Amino acid sequence: MSATAELFEEPFVADEYIERLAWRTPRGGSRGGAEAFDPKRLLEEFVNHIQELQVMDERIQRKVEKLEQHCQKEAKEFAKKVQELQKSNQVAFQHFQELDEHISYVATKVCHLGDQLEGVNTPRQRAVEAQKLMKYFNEFLDGELKSDVFTNSEKIKEAADIIQKLHLIAQELPFDRFSEVKSKIASKYHDLELQLIQEFTNAQRRVEISRMREVAAVLLHFKGYSHCVDVYIKQCQEGAYLRNDIFEDTAILCQRVNKQVGDIFSSPETVLAKLIQNIFEVKLQSNVKDQLEEHRKSDAEQYLKNLYELYTRTTNLSSKLMEFNLGTDKQTFLSKLIKSIFISYLENYIEVEIGYLKSRSAMILQRYYDSKNHQKRSIGTGGIQDLKERIRQRTNFPLGPSIDTHGETFLSQEVVVNLLQETKQAFERCHRLSDHSDLPKNAFRIFSMLVEFLCIEHIDYALETGLAGIPSPDSKSANLYFLDVVHQANTIFHLFDKQFNDHLMPLISSSPKLSECLQKKKDIIEQMEMKLDMGIDRTLNCMIGQMKHILAAEQKKTDFKPEDENSVLIQYTNACVKVCGYVRKQVEKIRKSMDGKNVDTVLMELGVRFHRLIYEHLQQYSYSCMGGMLAICDVAEYRKCAKDFKIPLVLQLFDTLHALCNLLVVAPDNLKQVCSGEQLANLDKNILHSFVQLRADYRSARLARHFS
């Protein structure tokens, strides 16, 4: 059996179990060896082993039955024990309920007894206290204070309690009979009050917090308690303002007092609020007045700077003080204190701001014009000026003589930066110093000043002067400085728009003034863009006029109809060279003066006018065969110049013109073929005919017959 038990290993696997049994049987293994395999021997071993297993199973089964019986017996005993414990628990719970009821009954009796004792003891205590007070009152009647509580200075606390009660009693007594004793009690009350305040003062100087707390608690019931708080506030500030920075000193002082005041007074928030109120109404108000009144009438710039700085630092200090417990509505409390200091200065702030901004802007402009030795012209307004303006807008004719500006644009980036900087500072002050309801209105007034001095007095004046300085198209020598005005005006517009978005928009974004400001900005920009467009148009006319002068002066009839056809050695005419050189300079200048789509728009307009000029110019001459070749070379050079425009339409126009010039040299037999080519097929027949008529041999019967 022991051998059988050894064969059982965990985990049990039947196949391995059979294998181990066969391996242990002599000559029963399956691997072979010295002895041959004996199946009978293995069968016999299996039969014996099965019998052993049966015996083992019977033994285990008996043991299991025995354990089950024992377990059932234990379960019955445990259930019985649990029932007994439940019964015991019920009995204990009943006893607990009875005990609880008894305790409640006793407690009720004790409370009742306590109430009875208190009802008896309270009158007794009051009677004893009244007796003592009568005793002390008699001493005041007799005029001689003998009690130790009045003569011993160490018992000032007890004396204060007694005299405070006697003082209340004396208030109820008739004056005619007890005037003398009332006077004595009041005198003693006053003396003790002064002693307590002095004691508090001495304790504060010695920084004895516990003694200060005791004295403050006694004084709490006296009329002089507020005087005690005043003494504390006064002494707190002694030596606190040794630096020049009153705001930083105040923050440090309030931080120190906030940590201390809770250990001394029963209502620390009231004391701290009173300290802050005292600082604002005395220290800060005096400091603000000294700094502002000094410059209020004499120096508006310094006055506004000081007002902005003082108000900003005061509001920042208020934000720091918001961390402390100052009562229920500390925000309103601090706002009222700030308002009480600055109300007289904020009421007329915007008038001072506008007055300063106006004078400062005028001075900046005048200083600039003085530096240029320029006496500013009066542009003028009214009926005649308006009529001239309307005529000029519709006809684009210069009204009045041209003014020589000597290349000066009368636009200064330094002036613009100064004006924008002044306005930026004004917007910042306006945001800080204006009442919330007045902020959009005040910001609009500042913006109006910027429009007046930057846009009208400076930019618009420069545009008017620039327009007046543009020479007529017939002028033989034209210095075209208006493009410089355009370039600088574009730069200034960008700066103006940036300030509008960065500094004005946040102040008016949620108010009705937003639409008013946007409309004002739109109107002024449209007005200036109209003048810029007018000036550019007239400048382009002048450019074309200059090209006409060059062509008239340099182009000769013999260029295209030379006397000796074989003597022509040049590639293109001198007039073409000079015109192309002039055009390239103007194209480069336009690119430098403008940005974005404006460059393409202006170059396209110039290119179209340039093409029209050359087209009309070529129509004035008669062309021999060699002259026609030279004309083609000129147009090729003009087309090369047109490529610099980088405008497809302009290049297309010159390509077509170049194709038209081929009609000047093509053989008569090929005219119809050339006219039906890709570039000329869509052109009007009259245009083609007009070019063919320019040929020197046009009147020959052969040519006329071929083109008809």
Side-chain angles (χ1 to χ4, degrees), residues 87-104:
K87 290 179 181 179
S88 300
N89 184 56
Q90 289 177 351
V91 173
F93 183 72
Q94 290 175 355
H95 289 166
F96 176 76
Q97 285 183 327
E98 293 173 359
L99 181 61
D100 184 57
E101 291 174 358
H102 187 66
I103 290 173
S104 299

Side-chain angles (χ1 to χ4, degrees), residues 131 141 210 221 231 239 414 473 554 559 692:
Q131 184 182 13
L141 281 173
S210 59
H221 305 290
V231 169
E414 181 183 356
E554 300 294 334
D559 287 343
V692 173

Side-chain angles (χ1 to χ4, degrees), residues 485-528:
V485 176
V486 174
H487 174 62
Q488 289 183 276
N490 280 335
T491 303
I492 295 171
F493 280 148
H494 289 311
L495 296 174
F496 172 74
D497 192 57
K498 186 176 188 306
Q499 181 164 98
F500 184 91
N501 294 324
D502 292 350
H503 297 98
L504 178 61
M505 284 294 288
L507 307 184
I508 60 172
S509 57
S510 57
S511 76
K513 285 291 180 182
L514 173 61
S515 58
E516 195 173 343
C517 286
L518 289 172
Q519 186 61 45
K520 191 178 185 73
K521 175 189 170 189
K522 180 183 177 184
D523 292 344
I524 195 69
I525 288 180
E526 285 180 352
Q527 177 185 339
M528 293 186 182

Side-chain angles (χ1 to χ4, degrees), residues 363-563:
M363 184 193 74
I364 291 172
L365 290 176
Q366 190 58 48
R367 188 169 56 192
Y368 167 70
Y369 294 124
D370 289 345
S371 69
K372 297 295 181 182
N373 244 346
H374 175 72
Q375 182 64 40
K376 196 174 180 184
R377 297 186 310 116
S378 176
I379 295 174
T381 57
I384 296 176
Q385 181 65 24
D386 292 342
L387 179 61
K388 286 183 177 181
E389 186 66 26
R390 284 197 295 271
I391 294 172
R392 187 170 64 180
Q393 290 175 13
R394 294 187 181 184
T395 63
N396 200 19
F397 291 152
L399 300 178
S402 175
I403 298 175
D404 188 2
T405 60
H406 303 288
E408 181 58 58
T409 63
F410 294 108
L411 285 174
S412 167
Q413 193 150 345
E414 181 183 356
V415 168
V416 173
V417 169
N418 288 338
L419 289 174
L420 291 175
Q421 182 64 22
E422 291 292 341
T423 312
K424 175 187 173 183
Q425 293 173 358
F427 280 135
E428 290 174 351
R429 288 193 290 263
C430 177
H431 188 200
R432 176 68 69 177
L433 302 175
S434 294
D435 187 77
H436 183 71
S437 59
D438 295 332
L439 179 58
K441 178 179 63 178
N442 293 346
F444 178 76
R445 293 185 65 182
I446 294 173
F447 174 65
S448 298
M449 286 290 101
L450 178 64
V451 169
E452 178 182 348
F453 286 95
L454 175 63
C455 298
I456 298 175
E457 294 294 330
H458 191 53
I459 305 176
D460 190 65
Y461 176 76
L463 293 178
E464 287 287 345
T465 305
L467 284 171
I470 299 175
S472 66
D474 299 331
S475 177
K476 292 184 178 181
S477 61
N479 294 320
L480 303 177
Y481 298 114
F482 193 79
L483 290 179
D484 296 330
V485 176
V486 174
H487 174 62
Q488 289 183 276
N490 280 335
T491 303
I492 295 171
F493 280 148
H494 289 311
L495 296 174
F496 172 74
D497 192 57
K498 186 176 188 306
Q499 181 164 98
F500 184 91
N501 294 324
D502 292 350
H503 297 98
L504 178 61
M505 284 294 288
L507 307 184
I508 60 172
S509 57
S510 57
S511 76
K513 285 291 180 182
L514 173 61
S515 58
E516 195 173 343
C517 286
L518 289 172
Q519 186 61 45
K520 191 178 185 73
K521 175 189 170 189
K522 180 183 177 184
D523 292 344
I524 195 69
I525 288 180
E526 285 180 352
Q527 177 185 339
M528 293 186 182
E529 284 180 345
M530 181 180 63
K531 292 183 180 180
L532 285 171
D533 291 343
M534 188 186 308
I536 291 170
D537 186 66
R538 287 170 55 186
T539 299
L540 295 181
N541 286 340
C542 286
M543 291 179 182
I544 298 301
Q546 289 298 297
M547 296 181 207
K548 284 182 179 179
H549 284 301
I550 295 173
L551 291 172
E554 300 294 334
Q555 197 84 71
K556 300 174 182 177
K557 290 185 177 182
T558 56
D559 287 343
F560 301 118
K561 197 174 181 181
E563 295 178 359

